[in-house]
Amino acid sequence: MTIAFACVLFMGLLPYVAAGIAKKGFEGYDNGQPRIWLAKQTGFRARANAAQANLFESLPFFFAAVIIASVMHAPQARIDLLALGFVIARIAYLICYIANWPTTRSIVWLCGIACVVAIFFQI
């Protein structure tokens, strides 16, 4: 498994980390209607839930970039490096979202997107 493919696996699981943070402690959690419960949350729980949604939204673009670059035999070392950059940016993004640092969050979001675009430019 390449580093980039490991990053794909990791990124596929990261939104579930955000979901776990949103449900931390399960105080009053309603497993029968989890989306309604999450929609009523505020503070870090609401931000973690929003981060979860955004993490899921970013996956298709990243997955496509890694797969297409791999199929087109782009330089693997560059794909790996840029995929790691994306993962680091998305972890930082999750931290910034939960910590309520919107400006920093936007900057690391941009860094993550730049990594994905750069993967496409390796083709």
Side-chain angles (χ1 to χ4, degrees), residues 28-40:
Y29 180 70
D30 181 1
N31 195 42
Q33 298 184 10
R35 292 182 187 212
I36 292 171
W37 181 84
L38 281 167
K40 294 176 185 176

PDB file of all heavy atoms in Angstrom, residues 28-40:
ATOM      1  N   GLY A  28     -27.317  13.190  27.044  1.00  0.00           N
ATOM      2  CA  GLY A  28     -28.632  13.379  26.454  1.00  0.00           C
ATOM      3  C   GLY A  28     -28.728  12.876  25.025  1.00  0.00           C
ATOM      4  O   GLY A  28     -29.696  13.185  24.325  1.00  0.00           O
ATOM      5  N   TYR A  29     -27.756  12.106  24.588  1.00  0.00           N
ATOM      6  CA  TYR A  29     -27.711  11.641  23.207  1.00  0.00           C
ATOM      7  C   TYR A  29     -28.896  10.733  22.906  1.00  0.00           C
ATOM      8  O   TYR A  29     -29.232   9.855  23.686  1.00  0.00           O
ATOM      9  CB  TYR A  29     -26.400  10.896  22.954  1.00  0.00           C
ATOM     10  CG  TYR A  29     -26.258  10.366  21.552  1.00  0.00           C
ATOM     11  CD1 TYR A  29     -26.076  11.227  20.489  1.00  0.00           C
ATOM     12  CD2 TYR A  29     -26.337   9.006  21.289  1.00  0.00           C
ATOM     13  CE1 TYR A  29     -25.946  10.747  19.194  1.00  0.00           C
ATOM     14  CE2 TYR A  29     -26.202   8.518  20.009  1.00  0.00           C
ATOM     15  CZ  TYR A  29     -26.012   9.393  18.958  1.00  0.00           C
ATOM     16  OH  TYR A  29     -25.900   8.914  17.681  1.00  0.00           O
ATOM     17  N   ASP A  30     -29.534  10.960  21.768  1.00  0.00           N
ATOM     18  CA  ASP A  30     -30.674  10.160  21.334  1.00  0.00           C
ATOM     19  C   ASP A  30     -30.247   9.334  20.122  1.00  0.00           C
ATOM     20  O   ASP A  30     -30.227   9.842  19.004  1.00  0.00           O
ATOM     21  CB  ASP A  30     -31.853  11.070  20.982  1.00  0.00           C
ATOM     22  CG  ASP A  30     -33.083  10.302  20.543  1.00  0.00           C
ATOM     23  OD1 ASP A  30     -33.051   9.052  20.516  1.00  0.00           O
ATOM     24  OD2 ASP A  30     -34.092  10.955  20.209  1.00  0.00           O
ATOM     25  N   ASN A  31     -29.911   8.073  20.346  1.00  0.00           N
ATOM     26  CA  ASN A  31     -29.468   7.218  19.255  1.00  0.00           C
ATOM     27  C   ASN A  31     -30.611   6.889  18.299  1.00  0.00           C
ATOM     28  O   ASN A  31     -30.375   6.486  17.172  1.00  0.00           O
ATOM     29  CB  ASN A  31     -28.838   5.927  19.798  1.00  0.00           C
ATOM     30  CG  ASN A  31     -28.048   5.194  18.744  1.00  0.00           C
ATOM     31  OD1 ASN A  31     -27.319   5.811  17.974  1.00  0.00           O
ATOM     32  ND2 ASN A  31     -28.185   3.882  18.708  1.00  0.00           N
ATOM     33  N   GLY A  32     -31.833   7.076  18.735  1.00  0.00           N
ATOM     34  CA  GLY A  32     -32.980   6.851  17.862  1.00  0.00           C
ATOM     35  C   GLY A  32     -33.127   7.931  16.810  1.00  0.00           C
ATOM     36  O   GLY A  32     -33.616   7.692  15.714  1.00  0.00           O
ATOM     37  N   GLN A  33     -32.695   9.153  17.159  1.00  0.00           N
ATOM     38  CA  GLN A  33     -32.766  10.290  16.238  1.00  0.00           C
ATOM     39  C   GLN A  33     -31.494  11.131  16.363  1.00  0.00           C
ATOM     40  O   GLN A  33     -31.537  12.290  16.797  1.00  0.00           O
ATOM     41  CB  GLN A  33     -34.002  11.141  16.532  1.00  0.00           C
ATOM     42  CG  GLN A  33     -35.295  10.373  16.350  1.00  0.00           C
ATOM     43  CD  GLN A  33     -36.501  11.252  16.556  1.00  0.00           C
ATOM     44  OE1 GLN A  33     -36.414  12.465  16.652  1.00  0.00           O
ATOM     45  NE2 GLN A  33     -37.658  10.628  16.625  1.00  0.00           N
ATOM     46  N   PRO A  34     -30.352  10.553  15.958  1.00  0.00           N
ATOM     47  CA  PRO A  34     -29.075  11.235  16.185  1.00  0.00           C
ATOM     48  C   PRO A  34     -28.941  12.557  15.430  1.00  0.00           C
ATOM     49  O   PRO A  34     -28.330  13.488  15.941  1.00  0.00           O
ATOM     50  CB  PRO A  34     -28.039  10.220  15.714  1.00  0.00           C
ATOM     51  CG  PRO A  34     -28.774   9.311  14.789  1.00  0.00           C
ATOM     52  CD  PRO A  34     -30.185   9.272  15.288  1.00  0.00           C
ATOM     53  N   ARG A  35     -29.496  12.664  14.243  1.00  0.00           N
ATOM     54  CA  ARG A  35     -29.359  13.911  13.479  1.00  0.00           C
ATOM     55  C   ARG A  35     -30.143  15.041  14.115  1.00  0.00           C
ATOM     56  O   ARG A  35     -29.699  16.189  14.113  1.00  0.00           O
ATOM     57  CB  ARG A  35     -29.761  13.699  12.030  1.00  0.00           C
ATOM     58  CG  ARG A  35     -28.772  12.788  11.332  1.00  0.00           C
ATOM     59  CD  ARG A  35     -29.106  12.589   9.895  1.00  0.00           C
ATOM     60  NE  ARG A  35     -28.209  11.583   9.351  1.00  0.00           N
ATOM     61  CZ  ARG A  35     -27.782  11.559   8.115  1.00  0.00           C
ATOM     62  NH1 ARG A  35     -28.190  12.458   7.266  1.00  0.00           N
ATOM     63  NH2 ARG A  35     -26.963  10.629   7.711  1.00  0.00           N
ATOM     64  N   ILE A  36     -31.297  14.728  14.659  1.00  0.00           N
ATOM     65  CA  ILE A  36     -32.087  15.759  15.347  1.00  0.00           C
ATOM     66  C   ILE A  36     -31.338  16.210  16.598  1.00  0.00           C
ATOM     67  O   ILE A  36     -31.256  17.402  16.887  1.00  0.00           O
ATOM     68  CB  ILE A  36     -33.494  15.229  15.685  1.00  0.00           C
ATOM     69  CG1 ILE A  36     -34.286  15.015  14.386  1.00  0.00           C
ATOM     70  CG2 ILE A  36     -34.226  16.182  16.617  1.00  0.00           C
ATOM     71  CD1 ILE A  36     -35.604  14.298  14.573  1.00  0.00           C
ATOM     72  N   TRP A  37     -30.767  15.254  17.333  1.00  0.00           N
ATOM     73  CA  TRP A  37     -30.002  15.586  18.535  1.00  0.00           C
ATOM     74  C   TRP A  37     -28.805  16.467  18.174  1.00  0.00           C
ATOM     75  O   TRP A  37     -28.550  17.484  18.817  1.00  0.00           O
ATOM     76  CB  TRP A  37     -29.536  14.312  19.230  1.00  0.00           C
ATOM     77  CG  TRP A  37     -28.754  14.559  20.488  1.00  0.00           C
ATOM     78  CD1 TRP A  37     -29.259  14.787  21.730  1.00  0.00           C
ATOM     79  CD2 TRP A  37     -27.332  14.615  20.612  1.00  0.00           C
ATOM     80  NE1 TRP A  37     -28.229  14.980  22.627  1.00  0.00           N
ATOM     81  CE2 TRP A  37     -27.035  14.883  21.958  1.00  0.00           C
ATOM     82  CE3 TRP A  37     -26.277  14.466  19.717  1.00  0.00           C
ATOM     83  CZ2 TRP A  37     -25.736  14.995  22.438  1.00  0.00           C
ATOM     84  CZ3 TRP A  37     -24.986  14.572  20.198  1.00  0.00           C
ATOM     85  CH2 TRP A  37     -24.723  14.835  21.539  1.00  0.00           C
ATOM     86  N   LEU A  38     -28.069  16.075  17.120  1.00  0.00           N
ATOM     87  CA  LEU A  38     -26.901  16.850  16.709  1.00  0.00           C
ATOM     88  C   LEU A  38     -27.287  18.246  16.236  1.00  0.00           C
ATOM     89  O   LEU A  38     -26.571  19.213  16.494  1.00  0.00           O
ATOM     90  CB  LEU A  38     -26.123  16.124  15.611  1.00  0.00           C
ATOM     91  CG  LEU A  38     -25.226  14.989  16.092  1.00  0.00           C
ATOM     92  CD1 LEU A  38     -24.761  14.142  14.922  1.00  0.00           C
ATOM     93  CD2 LEU A  38     -24.039  15.534  16.864  1.00  0.00           C
ATOM     94  N   ALA A  39     -28.417  18.383  15.567  1.00  0.00           N
ATOM     95  CA  ALA A  39     -28.862  19.691  15.073  1.00  0.00           C
ATOM     96  C   ALA A  39     -29.161  20.658  16.218  1.00  0.00           C
ATOM     97  O   ALA A  39     -29.088  21.877  16.036  1.00  0.00           O
ATOM     98  CB  ALA A  39     -30.096  19.524  14.194  1.00  0.00           C
ATOM     99  N   LYS A  40     -29.442  20.137  17.390  1.00  0.00           N
ATOM    100  CA  LYS A  40     -29.751  20.980  18.552  1.00  0.00           C
ATOM    101  C   LYS A  40     -28.508  21.365  19.360  1.00  0.00           C
ATOM    102  O   LYS A  40     -28.604  22.153  20.294  1.00  0.00           O
ATOM    103  CB  LYS A  40     -30.730  20.251  19.481  1.00  0.00           C
ATOM    104  CG  LYS A  40     -32.089  20.028  18.881  1.00  0.00           C
ATOM    105  CD  LYS A  40     -32.958  19.223  19.831  1.00  0.00           C
ATOM    106  CE  LYS A  40     -34.292  18.872  19.216  1.00  0.00           C
ATOM    107  NZ  LYS A  40     -35.098  18.020  20.096  1.00  0.00           N
TER     108      LYS A  40
END
